[in-house]
Each structure stands twice: as C-alpha cells, then as structure tokens.
Amino acid sequence: MPRKKAGAAPAAKRAPPKRKLAEEFPEGEVLTDSAKKQWKLGVPIGQGGFGRLYLADQNSSKTVGPDAPYVIKVEPSDNGPLFSELKFYMRAAKPEMIQKWTSSHKLKYLGVPRYWGSGLHDKNANRYRFMVMDRFGKDLQKIFDETSKRFSHKTVLQLGLRLIDILEYIHEHEYVHGDIKASNLLLHHKHPDQVFLVDYGLAYRYCPEGVHKEYKEDPRKCHDGTIEFTSVDAHLGVSPSRRGDLEILGYCMIQWLCGKLPWEDKLTDPNYVAGSKRRYLLLSSVTTAF
C-alpha cells in the first residue's frame, strides 16, 4: 500500500446520506407488528428530525382517544436513529424484564419506557419502521424553563435518586444512555410524580455478552452528545461509558440546582467547554480531598 505523502491534503469526507422524513399517516391507520399484534393510530403528537409520533392503542372498533395509553414512533426504514433505539428496547426494555427488576429492588416504579412491539409497515410504495412504547406527558426542560430555570434542593436530589435507579438498570443490561438531559426526561401522562428517561438513539452497548469495549480515543467522534452535558471522555472521542453517564447526570444536577453551568457562555467552542469541565472536575476533587 503506497504511503501518503507528507503534507498531502486529507481525503474529502463523504457526505452522509440524506434521510427522508416520514409521511403523515391518517388517523385510524392500522399497523401490524412482528408478533402479528395490531395497533391503531390516533392523532400525531410530535415530529422529530425524520420520524413522527402518534397516539395509539390496540386495534379495535373504537377510535383512538386523547387518553390513549401508548405512542407509536414511525420512521422511514432506511433511516438509522429508530433502528439503533429499537435494539436497546428489544434487548433491555420488555415489560416483564422491567417488572422483575423493579420488584427485586423493591421500587414503586422504574423510569425506563416499556417496549410493546415493533415492525415494518408499507405505504405508498415506501417502507416504514415503527415501535410501540408507553405514553408520556411533559418533559422536564419545559418545567425547568417555567420555574425560572431553578429546581429546589429536594427536587434535584429526588431526580438524582430516580436517575441512579434507571442507570443501574440499563448498565446492568449492558447499555449506557449517553445523552441524559432535562428534555429527555418525561413525566408519566397519568402520574406526574413519575419521571422516565427516554430517547435511546445514542444508547451504546458497552459490554456485549459480558465483554467490555476497550477505552479508545477517536478524533472523529470528539464532542459527541449534547455539548453542555457530555462527558470529558466524549470530548476526546471515547465511546459512552457508565462513568460518563454518571458525569453527565452530575452536570444536569448542577444546572438544575444553580440555574446554569459555568461553561454555558461559550457552547460554540467545544474545546473551551472540555477544558472548563476538566478544570472544574480537578477543582472539585481537590476540594473533596480537604
């Protein structure tokens, strides 16, 4: 293989393939999952970058009403985010798995959304991937903004405890979340005192079949995640880890308690953000030692 000449220009990066936006399905459309269970769509309630979210219920003669207990996420089948998220849900979020763990740990509930089914649906010569999940209500970011960007000390500690339970569960099932933040924390639509961690599109299987992935820095992956919360490891391009999840949770709790993070003034400069985090982590370790 010929050597690359010194000073040669790097090869141009190939542009990522363009993703298609899912078309809007009519109310009452019936989707059949891989277990042959049928689900009826209600009204659309949200739209992400490439997918749509609908109220849903099991198929019957009734119209799907505003009190529907499920949502269905739909995305073109050749898009990646839902496929990645689906792998986590199928491996770690089946209702019986969550119930067993919740009971064994003597918890009232566990804030991990339950997976109810998934499949492929053909419409207008296009193929769509869909997933059925629990329905939720308001996200924590909206509540944070409505409360002058400050939570009480008690609320922050309660949120921290609930999230530690969630992280313990997903870590035991070989995954890390990698993108904990208030907008990914949703309240149950009927029990607003229950908070759930959603959006597993960046979930990473750090220990497949009990074998840990090695620590490896990769400049191509530097600063992945949400810049103000992502871990110091992620700034170096290291894959998500359990310690990274806990570090992200720590940054979230500081923001919820204090109103902002020290590096929020320059979020457009990832190197400044990374350096600030290193300095504050060093300072906190020195302070703790004394």
Side-chain angles (χ1 to χ4, degrees), residues 167-181:
L167 294 179
E168 182 180 356
Y169 175 83
I170 66 175
H171 292 172
E172 280 189 16
H173 288 81
E174 302 182 346
Y175 277 91
V176 292
H177 188 275
D179 197 23
I180 303 155
K181 55 186 176 182

Side-chain angles (χ1 to χ4, degrees), residues 126-143:
N126 293 311
R127 172 158 283 197
Y128 296 92
R129 192 182 310 279
F130 69 90
M131 179 169 64
V132 188
M133 301 176 292
D134 290 319
R135 178 187 176 183
F136 299 106
K138 208 169 190 178
D139 71 67
L140 210 63
Q141 185 63 49
K142 289 187 178 68
I143 299 172

Side-chain angles (χ1 to χ4, degrees), residues 21-41:
L21 175 65
E23 64 182 290
E24 187 169 331
F25 291 172
E27 190 174 351
E29 181 108 358
V30 175
L31 311 183
T32 304
D33 68 21
S34 57
K36 306 303 180 186
K37 195 170 185 178
Q38 292 189 325
W39 303 89
K40 182 181 283 188
L41 297 183

Side-chain angles (χ1 to χ4, degrees), residues 222-236:
C222 285
H223 317 299
D224 276 358
T226 303
I227 188 71
E228 56 261 59
F229 304 116
T230 197
S231 68
V232 168
D233 279 347
H235 283 294
L236 297 171

